[in-house]
Amino acid sequence: MFTLAALGGTFDIIHVGHLALIEKAILISDKIIIGLTSDSFVSKHEKSITNNFEKRFENLDKTIREKFPNCSFEIAQLDDEFGPAVLEGDVDALVVSDETSQKGDILNDLRKERNLSPVEIIVVPMKLASDGDRISSTRIRNSEIDSSGNVLVD
């Protein structure tokens, strides 16, 4: 069991893949911190989103309170890849998808440079839609699938 697990993302349209990451973090840690990408960070990476930071924060907060009512959590704005919580703080685990697992190695290199102990990297397998492709906010936005991964017919 960890004391503080971290995860991060844009959480534009919350789907079952996001919920799997959050659930895993809750199961392994006393408290979780979620880095939510700022609008400027999103635009720097030329990602297309539907909701601004405030709306994404509100949706994420509401979802966690409804689906995981006993969870001790904090949502922090991420203006860069990692944020101070994982670069300086007491985080002892990073929860990532298999798609973003390499970020754990980068984080641990940065922590080593700061003479901090490495965090444990917990990889959660990607959730797949009913067509076998990955679930993503982009696919939901494009009306290919719903937030549970069911393929939508034309």
Side-chain angles (χ1 to χ4, degrees):
M1 189 70 154
F2 298 99
T3 306
L4 182 61
L7 63 138
T10 304
F11 297 94
D12 186 33
I13 300 170
I14 297 173
H15 53 71
V16 295
H18 293 133
L19 297 177
L21 287 172
I22 294 166
E23 183 175 34
K24 182 64 171 183
I26 291 168
L27 288 172
I28 63 164
S29 187
D30 298 328
K31 181 178 180 183
I32 66 170
I33 185 164
I34 302 169
L36 181 62
T37 56
S38 66
D39 292 338
S40 64
F41 182 83
V42 171
S43 65
K44 246 191 290 187
H45 289 80
E46 299 177 5
K47 283 179 100 175
S48 172
I49 57 171
T50 302
N51 299 298
N52 67 16
F53 178 83
E54 288 74 22
K55 186 66 177 167
R56 291 182 288 120
F57 185 103
E58 182 184 308
N59 290 343
L60 184 57
D61 184 74
K62 181 178 182 228
T63 299
I64 295 170
R65 290 182 193 285
E66 285 176 1
K67 298 202 177 292
F68 310 103
N70 300 319
C71 172
S72 174
F73 73 97
E74 175 187 338
I75 301 171
Q77 182 171 307
L78 262 189
D79 294 309
D80 53 43
E81 205 66 50
F82 296 109
V86 290
L87 286 178
E88 301 156 16
D90 298 327
V91 170
D92 49 3
L94 180 68
V95 178
V96 295
S97 67
D98 42 20
E99 183 181 63
T100 59
S101 61
Q102 78 286 357
K103 289 186 180 183
D105 297 330
I106 296 166
L107 170 63
N108 278 332
D109 288 344
L110 292 169
R111 287 178 63 92
K112 187 176 182 180
E113 288 172 12
R114 290 170 164 79
N115 294 317
L116 295 169
S117 55
V119 298
E120 187 82 27
I121 308 302
I122 309 299
V123 180
V124 177
M126 294 288 292
K127 289 283 186 182
L128 300 180
S130 58
D131 62 2
D133 286 337
R134 68 186 198 88
I135 295 172
S136 70
S137 296
T138 301
R139 293 190 71 203
I140 296 167
R141 228 184 343 274
N142 293 341
S143 301
E144 295 173 39
I145 59 172
D146 64 18
S147 62
S148 296
N150 300 305
V151 172
L152 301 174
V153 277
D154 298 331

